[in-house]
Amino acid sequence: QVQLVESGGGSVQAGGSLRLSCAASGGTFSRQTMAWFRQAPGKERDFVAGIGWSGLSTYYADSVKGRFTISRDNAKNTVYLLMSSLKPEDTAVYYCAAKYERPVRDLLSVSEYDYWGQGTQVTVSL
């Protein structure tokens, strides 16, 4: 059973940066497409960024393009989300998700993913 554990959340002022990490265990990480989603209070969980199992393909929500960067280290079974130029509207709980061997461009919705972490809170203030 795949387990995902996020870390790195916190509070930051607008314009600042944070790096989230998601450590995976219990599966074959190098065969998993990984993604970050986020959920603000009272809103649905939305796709933020995804990365293919080789790390060569990435996909971003329009709202974070140019500000967020997703990457992975298959040797460490970890996926990262570097968030820069943060805005108050980026405030949410951020979740890591995994799906075996599907192209990231096909995995943009919550229902596509089989494994989820518990989430980490990111709060951006003015």
Side-chain angles (χ1 to χ4, degrees):
Q1 184 74 2
V2 174
Q3 293 184 326
L4 304 173
V5 179
E6 301 98 334
S7 61
S11 297
V12 64
Q13 288 190 324
S17 299
L18 279 176
R19 189 179 80 157
L20 305 183
S21 300
C22 172
S25 62
T28 306
F29 183 75
S30 60
R31 291 172 50 210
Q32 296 167 356
T33 294
M34 302 297 296
W36 290 94
F37 284 73
R38 66 186 180 186
Q39 188 167 18
K43 296 189 176 181
E44 295 183 348
R45 192 173 298 189
D46 292 328
F47 176 86
V48 174
I51 187 166
W53 55 89
S54 68
L56 294 178
S57 58
T58 58
Y59 201 90
Y60 296 92
D62 288 343
S63 59
V64 306
K65 279 181 183 176
R67 300 188 299 122
F68 290 11
T69 302
I70 189 170
S71 61
R72 67 190 295 159
D73 185 338
N74 285 351
K76 295 182 178 180
N77 288 1
T78 302
V79 63
Y80 305 97
L81 185 68
L82 176 61
M83 306 184 294
S84 303
S85 302
L86 282 162
K87 305 174 181 180
E89 50 264 45
D90 294 318
T91 295
V93 177
Y94 283 71
Y95 296 91
C96 176
K99 174 77 174 183
Y100 275 104
E101 293 179 326
R102 288 277 305 280
V104 62
R105 64 180 182 274
D106 295 339
L107 302 175
L108 305 184
S109 63
V110 170
S111 61
E112 296 287 351
Y113 288 84
D114 298 319
Y115 306 102
W116 292 87
Q118 81 290 348
T120 186
Q121 176 71 46
V122 171
T123 303
V124 184
S125 59
L126 288 171

